[in-house]
Every structure is written in structure tokens, then in C-alpha cells.
Amino acid sequence: MQLYMIRRNSAWADTAELEKTAAISGKIGDEEMSDKVRWIRSYVVNEADGRLGTCCIYEAVDGDAIREHARRVGMPGDDFLPIAATVVVRPDPKAS
């Protein structure tokens, strides 16, 4: 599988909406598409318009699997790039 970064701009109105979508995404990925996509992590960002967006890291067999997963979940899934390399300067900080 290849690593991908997916950008979902202004996709959610609030945290509750994002959490609902995340639950559906996890279920579909784990139960219906586990041989094609694997959600690794997401960074939630505050967009300029007041909505929430994400930068997500996924493993997938190809771009079609990313698009199919997003379609089944009902979220954007066309803005993605394959990851060429990972440079970790420091691990993600833990929430305090």
C-alpha cells in the first residue's frame, strides 16, 4: 500500500459533525474496505470561514480506493497526493 495525504477543506460545521463522519469513516474502512484503505491519522484545522477541515494520512492500494472510501462515507476525497517520504523531527506532542 502507498501512503497518501488527503486535504478536506471546510468539510465540517463543528466538532460533532466531524466526529459523526469519523465514526462512519472508521467503520467503512475497518469493516468494508480493510483490504484497500487504512486510516492512519488526521489533523483537524480551523478554516478561515469558521468551519473545520482536515489533513489526513491514509494507506491505500491506489487513488481509486481513496475516492471510493470518501464516496461511501459522504465526505470530500479528491484532493490527495501520494507521500514520497516522511521526515519526523519530533513526535506529535501529547495534548495537555
Side-chain angles (χ1 to χ4, degrees):
M1 282 205 220
Q2 166 73 45
L3 274 177
Y4 291 90
M5 190 283 302
I6 308 165
R7 180 70 169 103
R8 304 184 207 281
N9 296 312
S10 298
W12 297 278
D14 54 35
T15 303
E17 193 175 273
L18 173 62
E19 289 172 351
K20 180 180 177 185
T21 303
I24 296 166
S25 177
K27 181 175 171 45
I28 289 172
D30 292 345
E31 297 177 12
E32 298 176 20
M33 298 185 71
S34 63
D35 60 331
K36 295 183 181 174
V37 297
R38 198 175 106 181
W39 181 14
I40 306 298
R41 74 172 46 87
S42 293
Y43 297 96
V44 179
V45 296
N46 292 310
E47 301 283 4
D49 62 3
R51 294 176 61 86
L52 297 175
T54 57
C55 294
C56 303
I57 307 300
Y58 275 74
E59 278 185 323
V61 294
D62 57 25
D64 289 339
I66 298 233
R67 285 185 200 93
E68 175 65 14
H69 176 260
R71 185 192 65 74
R72 289 187 193 189
V73 174
M75 64 182 171
D78 287 324
D79 185 5
F80 63 88
L81 295 168
I83 294 175
T86 300
V87 177
V88 178
V89 176
R90 292 178 188 86
D92 289 345
K94 298 199 185 292
S96 50

